Amino acid sequence: MNEHKPEILAPAGDKSSFLAAIAAGADAVYAGLKHFSARMEAYNFATGELAALAELGREHGVRTYIPMNTLVKPDDLDSAARLMDRVARTVKPDGLIIQDLAMVEIARQAGYKGELHLSTLANASHPAAIKIAAELGVNRVVVPRELNLDEIRQMAEACPDSMTLEMFVHGALCYTVSGRCYWSSFFGGKSSLRGRCVQPCRRLYGSARRKDQPKRLFSCLDLGLDVLTKPTLSIPQVGSWKIEGRKKGPHYVYYTVSAYRMLRDNPNDAKVKKDATELLDLALGRPTSHSIFLPQRPYTPLDPSNETGSGFLIGITKQEQNGKPYFTCREELLPGDFLRIGYQDQPGHQTLKIRKFTPKRGKVSIPVKGRTSLKSGTKVFLIDRREEGLVNALKGLETKLSKIRTEEKTASDIRLTLPAPCKPVERAHRHTLQRNPPKGKIRPGCDVWLSLNALKRSPRPAVSKICWHLPPVIWPNEEAEVKKNIDICLNGDGRDFVLNSPWQKALFPADSRLRFHAGPFCNISNPLAIARLADMGFSSAYVSPELAREDFLALPAASPLPLGMVISGMWPLAISRIISEETSLMSPIYSQKKEICWARQYGQNYWIYPGWPIDLSAERKTLENAGYAMFLDIQEPLPKSVPAPVRTSTFNWDLSLL
């Protein structure tokens, strides 16, 4: 098969990074808006600003994609539609990157004509998922970072002619599978699915059984596939090499785009490969690894004993006699360079912009903010650079950009057509979800995680009485096993299935006797997404447990399907495909704030649980009055070594999900 050329897709969190991507020869840029972007900590763009940049991109043959890939709350629908209407008319993006099923319908009603790309947050993680995504009108699927080369090939083989895949080649790795992280939300009320992640996985954690210092047990190295991207050139369905980094500066964007363009265009040139890897070394990212990309040589991208912050180590702080901090720089510093002082969870952490040239071994004073002290020995990193060549390239593009005139900002008058709500249920039911079926008689409301072990423990008459839950993540090399378990269940007259991603419906035969319920890991949060599920053949849905009180109470009256919610039990902080050797399973793990979590393995995945359960039982009557039909209690045995919970959580019930 002839080699093809995937596009080089660059991140842009601000104007300078967008221009750097153009200057480096990117084929496409993805850039978020001020709302509905999964990287709300980036600067992001106003529609008018992005419209001008997109036009400049078109003049240089560069496509623009806009991530509108957050979870959409019930009261977000109209504002999302108005924004998409303005975007379609002014920015005219080539593609929208979406997570929430509602965005498919919003795009249709807003008259958007470009491509729809399914975000990695949507967790289309196995080949059968591709079929359902294509039926929804999706043109591209962004595959999880956790897939190896063989699994990417399996995903590619499942693609119809209308579908391409996008794969990450460089940038930050999340510890958790995308779309399956609730850590930031559970510990701090800031949801990663809303673009507000505060990265609790990057913090220090310790074990009561280990006497050594707390370590960064869950903080991943960056992904850097570099020369290993070559085999994907023979996979025609891989249409895009994606570079992560919307919070990075123009230096990073310019160097990474340049490097991967060289690797793509000259895959057999040894000198070019050497030059490209040297550029990546200078990109000022975190230390990198190939992660598990090579099936025959997987590497766990965790190094708990070392820090994993981004940037080049430029110095270590000392103190003057008067106590003021400074450092001696190991390399020259240029005006406009940005430094990071320490790590995010250290006292005195800050970023510092260099105002004047400082020679190698020159002294740089560090301003102290407020009463915060900065300890001697704190590491200082160069995180963004303004070298002359890049500055001149950006100036030239700035001049072109200033001459572009875009459509004046106009208000949108779009009115969404919402689905008709279903009839209220007469009586709510409680369900209890367990890993294995209970002994004795199976009573109504018995839910069990689908596994071969659970099926072996279920007498044939019990199979038809149990509601079977599929796992929240299915990997390509697990798909056949899950299908086999489904077949065993169907042969035992199993009829009720809770699917924890919409794409799992492709694993079932067409059979009108089957009843499908969307599980809580589908992250459902608005009536339009529920309407899509109804169109796909679902008969009910559990809503996202992340929602706040007002969101929970608003949904049933507007829903076209009966709804359920997680009322109590153990909800995971995270589900991951990796774990460090230094993390003890089934043992307490303590954050620096003395929050407890613990890890357990199921199949290929590691579930990280908090040390205390959700409990909204006190709100059940209010929720019943709102119209909820199902209440789910998730039972998870607590390891003997983990302290018994001394509290419960209402999750985000009393908060406002930003």
Side-chain angles (χ1 to χ4, degrees), residues 415-486:
R415 292 288 184 271
L416 282 176
T417 300
L418 297 177
C422 66
K423 293 181 180 179
V425 296
E426 293 182 3
R427 184 178 171 214
H429 298 276
R430 185 179 181 90
H431 292 251
T432 300
L433 175 59
Q434 303 170 81
R435 289 289 169 181
N436 289 300
K439 295 178 181 179
K441 185 179 180 180
I442 300 297
R443 301 186 182 280
C446 177
D447 291 30
V448 176
W449 289 105
L450 180 65
S451 70
L452 185 58
N453 184 58
L455 288 167
K456 286 179 177 178
R457 295 188 181 195
S458 303
R460 184 182 174 94
V463 172
S464 63
K465 298 176 182 179
I466 293 171
C467 189
W468 297 93
H469 288 237
L470 269 65
V473 183
I474 298 173
W475 300 114
N477 60 1
E478 294 178 313
E479 190 176 89
E481 179 186 352
V482 174
K483 279 185 175 180
K484 182 179 178 181
N485 290 340
I486 290 171

Side-chain angles (χ1 to χ4, degrees), residues 20-54:
I22 295 175
D27 301 292
V29 178
Y30 63 107
L33 298 165
K34 299 289 186 184
H35 303 282
F36 304 108
S37 166
R39 289 292 183 273
M40 292 306 295
E41 298 304 315
Y43 163 77
N44 292 322
F45 298 90
T47 52
E49 182 183 19
L50 190 52
L53 286 163

